[in-house]
Amino acid sequence: MTIGSGHEDAPAAGRAECRTPRTRAAFSLLAATQLVLIMAITMLAVVLPRVEAELGLSAGRLTLVNAAYGLSFSGLLLLGGRAADLYGPRRLFTTGLVLFGTASITAGVAPGFWTLAISRFLQGTGAALAAPAAVALVGVVFPEPRRRARALAAWGGLSPLGAAAGVLSSGVIAGWVSWRWVFAVPVVAAVLVLALTSSLLPADGRTVRGGLDVGGAVLATAGLTALSYGLVHAAERSWFSLPVLGPLAAGVVLVTSFILAERKAADPLLPPAFLGSGRRLGALWVILVGATAISTVLMLLSLYFQQVKGMSPLGTAAAFLPFSLLLLLAGLIVTRLVNRFGPRVVAVVGSLLAAGGAALLGGTTADGPYAGALLAGLLVLPVGISMMFSGATVRVFSPGREERAGLAGSLVNTAMETGPTAGLALLVSLATAHTDSLLAEGAAPRVAETSGYSFAFDTAALVLLGTAAVALWTLRGTGGRDQ
């Protein structure tokens, strides 16, 4: 029985169990955690100019502060997923949240660059332990396949909502108090979730037998971190410069070594057969592209609103409000769409809608009105992104063994993290090159910058169209409407 079939009748006891207030409360607790973990990625986006001014950071150090969370998050997710399968998801969930909350406190009181950068890195480390464990716990809370599929569809819509909430909340906070108070949100959330974990989340039961592939973990973490580090620098430096080529080359060597080592490992961190399904690979690609699209929109439009339109952080947050509200509304209905039409149809239609939204944003101009193509794009894009995440998330877990839920969860989150790092770096590089070429031709700076952003949005629209084709070809189900 697969997670995505959606047509088996559950026993009456199972149906009753899944509808209890305790079960709903447990899912709400896990969902709130996922929202906060994703919020932490974008919560500095709006306040970066204030961080730069107060701490006297160079552009390079500011970039590292912003990216440190994603570097450790993406690099350690496979290790976190495997550890959740080996040692129990609730144990890893609580361990990760303790580290996440503690690092958030030190980040909020950081006196300088090194403390803030290390704190952000440790924040991401805690998230890498907690995030895959949280997904695994969803499968424990909903043991019946049909309801688990619905829960995972709802789960897929949480990440884009969390990313938008990070921008929105940081803009509101920075409009009233110091930027340091943005770290109060993850601290309070971690404390509340930890206080409720023992009473709401099930204790760890059967775990996977075997050992932790330490060698594979080191290679995977080092490789993904090196690749991410190089791509982050590619957004502001030449692709042929040493700070970009060096980490990228090292990352390719390390990731290749990891792939070769996994074929021979007795207890591999990522069993090669686990990615042998074209369905799972296609679903991960949809998630990666969706994460790239939303991170590109949040970052580039945040710069556009503040640097081109001269908006305050609070005004920028208000401009993103329709986008955030549509993400919330889409999250409320997308589960029903997956259940009725199947994850494949939802992912394909979502990719097409997202492509249309990105194309509308591509029509943004320096002097254009907010209530035009820009607002239309902000209304269409979030609906498409939410559908992409929900449909693809169900497919990553279908078919799959319950004891590998932590690994599947780590792959979902790795794709979510790779998009904002790798995909965003590529699109920002394209936007920067386009802007520089216009500046060389004598264009006004604000016109050149806006044109660069529009070029990035148009490129994203083309990639999203291709992703719709990938989803149509690969996300075929094993039964029901998706066949």
Side-chain angles (χ1 to χ4, degrees):
M1 186 183 299
T2 60
I3 294 175
S5 56
H7 294 281
E8 296 83 355
D9 291 327
R15 289 197 299 269
E17 177 187 359
C18 290
R19 292 174 180 171
T20 63
R22 181 188 176 94
T23 300
R24 291 194 294 268
F27 180 77
S28 297
L29 188 72
L30 294 170
T33 303
Q34 177 71 359
L35 276 174
V36 174
L37 295 179
I38 300 300
M39 278 180 63
I41 302 172
T42 59
M43 67 183 186
L44 288 183
V46 175
V47 300
L48 283 175
R50 297 193 176 188
V51 177
E52 180 183 29
E54 181 174 329
L55 300 183
L57 302 183
S58 64
R61 287 193 167 190
L62 189 66
T63 301
L64 286 177
V65 165
N66 191 41
Y69 182 89
L71 289 176
S72 56
F73 197 173
S74 60
L76 293 168
L77 273 167
L78 285 177
L79 177 62
R82 178 60 174 167
D85 291 334
L86 285 173
Y87 307 121
R90 198 174 89 168
R91 179 180 301 175
L92 265 292
F93 181 74
T94 55
T95 301
L97 279 180
V98 169
L99 180 56
F100 177 76
T102 303
S104 299
I105 294 174
T106 59
V109 298
F113 165 71
W114 286 110
T115 305
L116 183 56
I118 292 172
S119 297
R120 288 284 285 168
F121 189 88
L122 292 176
Q123 260 192 317
T125 302
L129 299 178
V135 183
L137 284 167
V138 171
V140 178
V141 172
F142 295 95
E144 192 270 312
R146 184 175 181 178
R147 297 202 178 275
R148 189 188 313 152
R150 292 181 180 178
L152 290 171
W155 190 270
L158 293 174
S159 292
L161 182 60
V167 173
L168 186 64
S169 61
S170 63
V172 172
I173 291 171
W176 295 98
V177 292
S178 168
W179 61 267
R180 295 178 181 275
W181 284 96
V182 301
F183 292 103
V185 176
V187 172
V188 173
V191 171
L192 291 177
V193 171
L194 287 170
L196 295 171
T197 292
S198 61
S199 60
L200 290 180
L201 299 183
D204 293 326
R206 186 185 64 175
T207 56
V208 173
R209 294 181 179 180
L212 188 62
D213 180 15
V214 177
V218 171
L219 288 172
T221 301
L224 290 174
T225 301
L227 286 172
S228 299
Y229 185 86
L231 288 168
V232 166
H233 277 288
E236 59 178 10
R237 297 174 182 263
S238 167
W239 282 85
F240 299 101
S241 64
L242 184 60
V244 176
L245 279 182
L248 288 180
V252 169
V253 171
L254 289 167
V255 170
T256 302
S257 300
F258 167 72
I259 294 172
L260 295 176
E262 292 301 276
R263 295 180 178 178
K264 300 178 181 179
D267 295 302
L269 188 68
L270 178 59
F274 198 77
L275 286 179
S277 166
R279 182 186 302 111
R280 184 170 283 125
L281 286 173
L284 290 172
W285 174 256
V286 172
I287 293 171
L288 186 150
V289 172
T292 298
I294 193 168
S295 61
T296 300
V297 168
L298 291 174
M299 178 177 174
L300 296 187
L301 283 185
S302 180
L303 293 173
Y304 170 77
F305 288 139
Q306 294 186 72
Q307 296 181 355
V308 177
K309 291 296 189 179
M311 293 184 179
S312 66
L314 186 59
T316 299
F320 278 116
L321 187 59
F323 183 87
S324 303
L325 290 176
L326 261 293
L327 279 174
L328 178 61
L329 293 175
L332 295 176
I333 64 171
V334 74
T335 303
R336 297 180 182 179
L337 295 177
V338 172
N339 185 59
R340 180 172 182 178
F341 300 106
R344 180 193 184 198
V345 172
V346 171
V348 171
V349 174
S351 298
L352 293 173
L353 284 175
L360 286 169
L361 292 177
T364 302
T365 61
D367 297 315
Y370 173 78
L374 197 158
L375 179 59
L378 287 175
L379 294 175
V380 174
L381 184 72
V383 178
I385 294 294
S386 185
M387 293 174 68
M388 290 173 67
F389 272 78
S390 295
T393 298
V394 172
R395 275 293 176 253
V396 173
F397 287 84
S398 171
R401 297 181 299 173
E402 291 182 18
E403 64 269 22
R404 292 294 188 187
L407 176 58
S410 70
L411 289 173
V412 168
N413 282 285
T414 298
M416 291 177 183
E417 287 300 305
T418 303
T421 303
L424 177 60
L426 290 171
L427 289 175
V428 170
S429 294
L430 290 173
T432 301
H434 188 76
T435 297
D436 290 343
S437 66
L438 291 178
L439 289 173
E441 295 173 2
R446 61 193 301 270
V447 173
E449 289 178 10
T450 305
S451 182
Y453 302 153
S454 297
F455 184 73
F457 294 144
D458 287 336
T459 304
L462 293 176
V463 175
L464 285 162
L465 280 176
T467 299
V470 171
L472 182 64
W473 179 257
T474 63
L475 303 190
R476 298 175 180 179
T478 56
R481 295 181 177 88
D482 278 340
Q483 275 195 323

